[in-house]
Amino acid sequence: MTKTNVSTEIKILLVDDDEDDFVLTRDTLSEIPNKKYILEWESNYEKAREIISRSIHDVYLVDFQIGAFSGLDLIMEAQQHGITAPLILLTGKSDLEIDERALQVGASDYLVKGTFGLFDLERSIRYSLEHAKNLAEIRKLNTTLEKRVEQRTRDLAMALQELEQTNENLRKAEKEILKTLEKERELNALKSRFVTMASHEFRTPLSTILSSASLIAKYNNPGDEDNRLRHIGRIKSAVNNLTAILNDFLSISKLEEGKVECNPVPFNIEELTSEVTEEMQALVKEGQTIHYEHKGSAEIMLDKNLTRNILINLISNAIKYSKEGKSIEVRTDFQNANLEIEVEDHGIGIPESEQGHLFTRFFRAQNASNIQGTGLGLTIVKRYIDLMQGSIAFKSQENHGTIFNVKIPAPALSLHSTP
């Protein structure tokens, strides 16, 4: 829980290896009227991490570079340890990439050192605290919903115990109630997962839209065109993220309604996979590499769009759940009328206790809670593979990576066949 004060005191920790920045920040805070800020300072990364873990401050101001360490890593670790107080990144220059990375790891806001003044610092702290308060309310509502579901489940279970004492006719009714209970549990579980997912995944793009929309209003002079365009670009990017989330919902809806059909066409699997891996190069993190190799024949008959979507989803997941500098291996093998697709990463892996839920709708492993995603991607992939009468399996070890293996039956084509 975020720490709250009975008085108007706001306790702030500044993590910065430059004492001059501490003095400047302290002096700026002292000039803000009507509020009392208590500023503490820590210049050592390891000590700062230990202090933050105790969650004794209302707000954290984290420098982008702390000695040899990155402030982004410190913010990410704090998020992973359940710190709910706002973490504001301080950076030496205004950079869109830094801005986006800060939001991705969970920063509430970011300020450019040397350019922000009294109003900017006060506004950032105030907005971040209000945003943290809203998120806490969402989590509280979600907890209340889960308790109601549990109570409803207990009530229905008691009703079932009473029915067991009746005659055969009531036993038949019991079976029907069991079916209803199971459907209700699934529905409530999906609702709960949706609330959790929405509160997490919609937060970053909505925060981006809100902050950029507020800043655009300030840039109304002729010379501010570049700033306006930059923030318009941020809003467009955030809208695209929201659109991708909604597209996942649309895809799963179409699959469940039977509106997706398998339409096999002849194509070259090696060429298709090469195209996809080339497209995915735009998404790789710094130092990440994608290696692809193919064995066997290349001309096959399958649904090309479904195959493409499976490849895109598995490779993008490998990129997303791997750190910078890690390699990703993509392998295709077409022999004996069976296509085998294998995607291997060296990322965070899947905890063994959670692997049984991997293809469940909205499921997110605990170690992936701070990585953007809807929990629908692998569900959609499995449904596509089922449509093509194939199978999917995986091997994973936490912190060592994951290998996904897809097998799909497909007839081979001769080199002289015509599409």
Side-chain angles (χ1 to χ4, degrees):
M1 294 295 290
T2 302
K3 180 181 177 291
T4 57
N5 291 309
V6 177
S7 66
T8 58
E9 291 184 351
I10 298 175
K11 193 172 182 181
I12 302 172
L13 175 66
L14 172 65
V15 183
D16 195 317
D17 58 2
D18 190 334
E19 187 173 2
D20 290 339
D21 288 337
F22 164 66
V23 173
L24 180 61
T25 304
R26 182 191 61 193
D27 293 344
T28 302
L29 288 171
S30 67
E31 295 176 4
I32 299 175
N34 302 324
K35 287 186 179 177
K36 182 177 181 182
Y37 296 93
I38 299 175
L39 180 66
E40 296 181 359
W41 173 48
E42 179 52 61
S43 61
N44 181 274
Y45 183 94
E46 296 295 337
K47 291 182 179 179
R49 181 167 59 181
E50 190 277 328
I51 293 172
I52 292 175
S53 70
R54 289 187 272 138
S55 191
I56 57 177
H57 296 86
D58 299 297
V59 179
Y60 300 95
L61 302 176
V62 181
D63 190 19
F64 180 77
Q65 195 69 37
I66 309 164
F69 299 95
S70 168
L72 291 174
D73 291 336
L74 184 60
I75 291 175
M76 184 183 299
E77 289 186 51
Q79 291 282 333
Q80 291 172 348
H81 284 84
I83 300 301
T84 58
L87 295 111
I88 300 172
L89 182 70
L90 303 179
T91 178
K93 61 179 180 178
S94 180
D95 187 287
L96 178 59
E97 181 180 355
I98 293 176
D99 187 358
E100 292 176 346
R101 288 178 62 194
L103 289 172
Q104 287 172 0
V105 300
S108 302
D109 197 1
Y110 94 108
L111 295 170
V112 180
K113 295 196 297 186
T115 65
F116 67 83
L118 174 87
F119 170 79
D120 301 307
L121 182 58
E122 187 277 334
R123 177 185 173 280
S124 180
I125 292 173
R126 175 162 46 86
Y127 274 40
S128 296
L129 285 170
E130 185 64 27
H131 183 60
K133 178 182 176 182
N134 292 337
L135 289 179
E137 287 298 321
I138 291 174
R139 285 190 288 269
K140 182 179 178 181
L141 289 173
N142 189 39
T143 300
T144 301
L145 175 61
E146 291 176 349
K147 289 181 178 178
R148 288 179 180 176
V149 171
E150 291 174 0
Q151 183 60 48
R152 178 62 175 159
T153 301
R154 287 194 294 268
D155 293 343
L156 288 173
M158 290 178 64
L160 290 177
Q161 289 177 358
E162 294 176 359
L163 287 174
E164 289 177 354
Q165 306 301 318
T166 64
N167 57 26
E168 184 63 27
N169 290 334
L170 290 177
R171 291 187 182 279
K172 292 180 181 179
E174 175 189 350
K175 293 180 181 180
E176 293 301 319
I177 292 175
L178 280 170
K179 292 180 182 178
T180 303
L181 173 62
E182 187 59 31
K183 289 181 180 179
E184 185 172 352
R185 282 176 175 168
E186 291 177 0
L187 178 60
N188 284 321
L190 287 176
K191 288 180 179 178
S192 177
R193 290 174 191 156
F194 175 77
V195 170
T196 302
M197 184 279 300
S199 67
H200 183 272
E201 294 303 321
F202 280 65
R203 177 184 64 181
T204 296
L206 288 176
S207 297
T208 299
I209 293 170
L210 177 62
S211 62
S212 289
S214 300
L215 290 170
I216 285 175
K218 295 174 58 179
Y219 298 125
N220 50 19
N221 297 319
D224 292 335
E225 183 65 20
D226 289 342
N227 287 324
R228 285 196 297 271
L229 291 175
R230 176 165 59 85
H231 288 291
I232 289 171
R234 288 183 63 201
I235 291 174
K236 288 181 179 179
S237 177
V239 170
N240 287 335
N241 287 340
L242 292 174
T243 301
I245 294 172
L246 294 175
N247 282 340
D248 277 352
F249 288 119
L250 181 61
S251 296
I252 199 70
S253 176
K254 286 183 177 180
L255 282 164
E256 292 182 345
E257 292 172 9
K259 294 181 179 180
V260 179
E261 296 181 353
C262 183
N263 299 306
V265 296
F267 66 96
N268 187 300
I269 184 61
E270 186 173 8
E271 290 179 358
L272 175 66
T273 309
S274 296
E275 290 174 5
V276 171
T277 54
E278 184 64 27
E279 292 173 10
M280 292 294 100
Q281 294 291 342
L283 302 179
V284 297
K285 302 172 185 174
E286 184 177 351
Q288 284 186 340
T289 55
I290 303 176
H291 304 290
Y292 169 57
E293 64 174 312
H294 175 77
K295 293 182 180 179
S297 176
E299 302 294 331
I300 62 174
M301 174 77 76
L302 275 177
D303 188 304
K304 188 175 182 179
N305 288 331
L306 295 185
T307 306
R308 172 186 284 273
N309 288 336
I310 291 168
L311 285 165
I312 289 174
N313 206 302
L314 292 178
I315 296 173
S316 63
N317 275 357
I319 295 170
K320 183 190 303 182
Y321 297 112
S322 297
K323 294 184 179 180
E324 297 177 353
K326 297 294 184 179
S327 64
I328 296 159
E329 285 77 45
V330 180
R331 295 178 281 271
T332 53
D333 189 345
F334 183 47
Q335 300 181 54
N336 302 319
N338 278 288
L339 171 65
E340 185 171 351
I341 300 171
E342 196 169 82
V343 178
E344 179 179 3
D345 66 62
H346 306 279
I348 62 175
I350 306 160
E352 185 175 355
S353 61
E354 300 181 29
Q355 292 182 7
H357 308 288
L358 190 60
F359 299 105
T360 304
R361 287 176 296 180
F362 300 117
F363 171 75
R364 304 295 308 284
Q366 290 183 356
N367 62 343
S369 59
N370 289 318
I371 301 175
Q372 185 178 8
T374 62
L376 289 174
L378 287 176
T379 303
I380 294 171
V381 165
K382 189 176 188 308
R383 296 293 292 273
Y384 285 159
I385 294 171
D386 291 343
L387 278 173
M388 293 191 286
Q389 300 181 346
S391 63
I392 181 169
F394 67 94
K395 295 180 180 178
S396 184
Q397 185 177 355
E398 193 171 5
N399 298 320
H400 288 82
T402 303
I403 302 175
F404 280 95
N405 184 274
V406 176
K407 294 182 180 179
I408 305 172
L413 300 176
S414 67
L415 294 176
H416 302 291
S417 61
T418 56

